[in-house]
Amino acid sequence: MAKKILRILNRLLNTMIAIVLVLAVLYSVYSLWDNYQFYQGIKDLQVKLLDLKPKGNKPSFEELRKINPDVVAWITLDGTKIDEPIVQGADNLEYLNKDVYGKYSLGGTVFLDSRCNKNFQDPYSIVYGHYMEKHLMFGDLELYQKSSFADKHHTGTLMIPGKKYPLKIFATMVIKSTDPYIFDPSEYKINKETFLSYIKTKSIWTQEDLMQTLENDGTKYSIVALSTCSTKQVDDRIVVLAMYQK
């Protein structure tokens, strides 16, 4: 009798193990499918938006603003897949998990700091975007951590309605999300010399000639800081700094 009970228990145990293994496989398959759907959705959206990318020396944002009046600019970084519209919300939380169409999305939208001038006429502006794999959103900012890449790819374009600004990338930083200088747009206005010195100290890569230009003749230029998460530490941020002539 005891042996019979033991056999029944063994069968039950084996059945339970088999069920757990099947569920684990099904969960893995679902996770892979869900991950694929997530990234594919963002890719599809990017392709759709690229058809609406403003063109010419006096770019029109009419079509994009029909979709969302919060669209303020478009940024392209040469040598990367970064080619995105920029929005500006009422605060810096609005577009963390909302796409340009206003729908919920973990990928969010690239957005301008709500404290900055939407026409990018401030001396210093901050633009945020989620780090994403597969060269999506601001994922390619991590490429600028390698001097071998940054030395060869340091140009881009910032477009706002009616204007097109060539960008020159001059520094890459990895800093904390609470950094008091980089993430406060008023700091550059208060003390430009201290701010530029801080960039030099904290940067892991710089274009020395461009840094010198900012130090000697900085009033002609504006700076835009492009920020995304780092994969190394939760509270680290990769910040790529670019300049343009107003």
Side-chain angles (χ1 to χ4, degrees), residues 136-149:
L136 295 173
M137 302 302 288
F138 266 8
D140 274 359
L141 287 184
E142 70 174 359
L143 298 173
Y144 292 93
Q145 294 179 100
K146 295 181 180 180
S147 58
S148 57
F149 178 87

Side-chain angles (χ1 to χ4, degrees), residues 75-121:
I75 189 165
T76 306
L77 297 187
D78 301 330
T80 76
K81 297 292 184 180
I82 295 173
D83 205 4
E84 299 279 346
I86 299 173
V87 297
Q88 186 180 46
D91 55 46
N92 288 342
L93 298 176
E94 184 173 352
Y95 282 96
L96 279 177
N97 298 120
K98 187 166 74 172
D99 69 22
V100 74
Y101 285 89
K103 297 177 181 178
Y104 176 78
S105 170
L106 286 174
T109 308
V110 172
F111 66 93
L112 174 66
D113 193 297
S114 60
R115 296 167 291 180
C116 297
N117 183 293
K118 68 178 182 179
N119 293 319
F120 284 83
Q121 296 306 298

Side-chain angles (χ1 to χ4, degrees), residues 53-92:
K53 180 180 177 179
K55 299 175 177 63
N57 291 324
K58 293 185 177 181
S60 170
F61 279 66
E62 184 178 354
E63 293 301 313
L64 280 168
R65 285 186 166 172
K66 284 179 183 177
I67 295 170
N68 188 341
D70 286 345
V71 176
V72 295
W74 190 288
I75 189 165
T76 306
L77 297 187
D78 301 330
T80 76
K81 297 292 184 180
I82 295 173
D83 205 4
E84 299 279 346
I86 299 173
V87 297
Q88 186 180 46
D91 55 46
N92 288 342

Side-chain angles (χ1 to χ4, degrees), residues 75 82 84-89 91-93 95-96 107-116 120 124-131 137-139 141 175-179 181-185 224-229 237-240:
I75 189 165
I82 295 173
E84 299 279 346
I86 299 173
V87 297
Q88 186 180 46
D91 55 46
N92 288 342
L93 298 176
Y95 282 96
L96 279 177
T109 308
V110 172
F111 66 93
L112 174 66
D113 193 297
S114 60
R115 296 167 291 180
C116 297
F120 284 83
Y124 181 73
S125 304
I126 311 167
V127 175
Y128 307 90
H130 283 305
Y131 171 86
M137 302 302 288
F138 266 8
L141 287 184
I175 55 175
K176 297 301 178 185
S177 59
T178 54
D179 188 283
Y181 278 91
I182 300 304
F183 296 117
D184 183 349
V224 58
L226 310 174
S227 173
T228 195
C229 295
R237 298 293 181 269
I238 300 169
V239 177
V240 173

Side-chain angles (χ1 to χ4, degrees), residues 6-25:
L6 186 60
R7 283 197 299 269
I8 292 172
L9 290 175
N10 282 334
R11 286 172 187 168
L12 286 172
L13 181 60
N14 289 336
T15 301
M16 290 177 65
I17 291 172
I19 291 171
V20 169
L21 289 174
V22 168
L23 289 175
V25 169

